[in-house]
Structures are given as structure tokens and as C-alpha cells.
Amino acid sequence: MRILLTNDDGYHAPGLKVLETLAARFSDEVWVVAPAEEQSGTSRALTLTRPIRMRKLGERHFAVAGTPTDSVLMALGEVMAEAKPDLILSGVNRGANLGEDVLYSGTVAAAAEGALAGIRSIALSQLYPAPAPGEKVSFATAEAWGERVLAPLLAVPLSPRTLVNVNFPPVAPDAVKGVRVVRQGLRDYGRVKLNKRTDPRGFPYFWIGLGRMPHTPSHDTDLEAVADGYVSVTPLHLDLTHCASLGSLGKLYP
Ligand code: MN
């Protein structure tokens, strides 16, 4: 089995090292093609207005000056063009990719590119308890549970154009209650906060911040599962059509 690893936290992110350790338990042929710099929140962005540079940093290791989606495209179209991967793993992301996060996430987006290409693709993310600013995040739970979560997912057929989104809860490995297969939830709106500051010349600038919001997650969602201390496993499909609305909207244009 040929495994391609990528992420959105960047080539040097600790979570990618964790993913390499996990992948090595399944195969001797592991390739890394990942963004050179952090690309969190870039979703499905493609780099179309600048050239894409790629550096080989080791045997089967490449850093791409681009987005996660660029990285998967470079892997499939250039680095591994002769022998495509059988499996794409994206992550392990520093922080949650739950609910509406999946629409912003570069981690999930990389797996989406793999799923479109017909390759089994899995996104992995590690939640963490609110750390002090700049504090290191522990990936111990992803390390301890990753193999158990991944192994069955490598054996089952997945539907076309679907990927699997895995989130590890923010608790120690021995406090994890198990694994739950759940649907994507949605948080109450308003988590994205604009943080207005003033630059040294007195002009305003802004940071987009992702605050934590109190909310009650719906039943059987990824949000509820990790809140209850489970690893969440959510199949996502890339056809975003809301089928229930087709009929009522269709009636508007008789
Ligand atoms: Mn990220």
C-alpha cells in the first residue's frame, strides 16, 4: 500500500510527524507532500495566479509552496504520477475539524481532493483543551487511538466521492470512551470573531479569531461525540445538493 500524507498546518507541523508514525504501522511506502507553510482555513483553495514551487526535503518528502489542495494535486500529477497512492491521510490537524469547520478546513479539503480523484482519503484532527497562548498541543490521543480508528477504515469499501473525517477528543488516551460514527453537526453561528487592532502608524487592522462558544450539540453529531469523550468518525460526501429542496425550488420554474 502506498500512502500519501499531507496536512494544512504545514510541512514542519508536529501533527504531520504523528501521522508519519501512524502511517508507518500500515506501510513501508509512505510519501509526504505537504504545504511548506501553514494553510489552516484555506479550504479548497487552488493557487492559480502564482507559480507553485516544490522542494524535495528528503526521500519521498516534498514541501509545496501552496495550499493543501495544491499539494494533493502536485502529489497525484507530479510526485506520484507513475504510481498513485492507495490511501491519503491528511493531518493530524492541530485543533478540531467539526461541524462547519469542515467547510473552512484545509485538512478536510486535502482529503476531499483525494476523494474526488477516487482515492480512499481520511482527514484526522486532534482537539485540545484551551491552552495558554503558544503552548504546545498534545497529540497523545491521536497517537494512541489512530491505528485502532484507521485499521477498519482501510478495509471497508467507501462510496465514491466520500471521505472520512476523524476527530480525536481533548482528553488523555486512557480517558477516551471509544469510537462513534456520527453525522456532521453545526454550531450556533457567531464563532468567527473579528479582532480589531491598531498598527504602529495608527491604522486599524484585523485578525479573524475562532472563539469558543457555549452551545448544546445535536444528538449523534461529531460535536456531541467528542464532547462526550469519544473519537468521532464522520463520512462526508462532496455532493452538497440539498435534495429535499429540489422539489420545492423546481416548482418555481414550471
Ligand atoms: Mn490546521
Side-chain angles (χ1 to χ4, degrees):
M1 178 166 61
R2 269 183 303 280
I3 307 181
L4 167 65
L5 307 184
T6 192
N7 72 353
D8 78 358
D9 291 338
Y11 183 90
H12 296 288
L16 187 58
K17 291 281 173 295
V18 173
L19 198 56
E20 283 203 65
T21 309
L22 286 175
R25 294 178 197 160
F26 295 102
S27 175
D28 293 330
E29 192 179 340
V30 177
W31 297 70
V32 176
V33 183
E37 301 285 341
E38 181 171 353
Q39 298 288 322
S40 294
T42 56
S43 186
R44 297 275 300 133
L46 285 172
T47 299
L48 298 176
T49 55
R50 284 176 292 114
I52 297 173
R53 306 280 180 186
M54 180 168 63
R55 286 182 68 192
K56 183 171 186 178
L57 297 180
E59 187 64 27
R60 295 178 184 155
H61 281 64
F62 299 82
V64 172
T67 66
T69 299
D70 293 337
S71 299
V72 173
L73 288 171
M74 289 294 285
L76 301 184
E78 174 70 20
V79 178
M80 303 179 74
E82 305 304 319
K84 300 265 198 294
D86 307 296
L87 171 68
I88 298 177
L89 300 176
S90 181
V92 177
N93 188 61
R94 180 187 190 277
N97 278 311
L98 301 163
E100 69 278 10
D101 298 340
V102 304
L103 296 172
Y104 301 105
S105 166
T107 306
V108 173
E113 191 61 36
L116 285 176
I119 298 165
R120 184 182 303 267
S121 296
I122 303 169
L124 302 105
S125 303
Q126 172 69 64
L127 280 73
Y128 53 84
E135 195 179 300
K136 271 176 87 175
V137 164
S138 169
F139 288 88
T141 301
E143 278 190 75
W145 282 79
E147 189 175 356
R148 247 179 294 183
V149 175
L150 285 173
L153 294 174
L154 306 189
V156 288
L158 294 178
S159 293
R161 300 181 187 88
T162 64
L163 61 108
V164 180
N165 185 34
V166 175
N167 280 267
F168 299 96
V171 297
D174 57 2
V176 174
K177 291 188 190 145
V179 182
R180 288 186 63 202
V181 176
V182 284
R183 60 178 297 125
Q184 176 199 340
L186 288 168
R187 299 181 186 89
D188 298 335
Y189 191 73
R191 180 164 169 258
V192 177
K193 294 272 192 293
L194 285 178
N195 195 331
K196 185 177 185 176
R197 298 186 185 184
T198 305
D199 77 12
R201 296 193 301 150
F203 296 105
Y205 69 99
F206 299 85
W207 281 101
I208 290 176
L210 296 174
R212 289 174 187 248
M213 260 177 53
H215 75 116
T216 307
S218 303
H219 277 311
D220 297 322
T221 60
D222 50 4
L223 291 160
E224 184 194 59
V226 297
D228 289 348
Y230 291 86
V231 179
S232 71
V233 172
T234 301
L236 298 174
H237 64 133
L238 300 175
D239 176 352
L240 301 179
T241 311
H242 185 246
C243 292
S245 298
L246 282 173
S248 58
L249 290 185
K251 288 196 187 90
L252 301 176
Y253 311 99

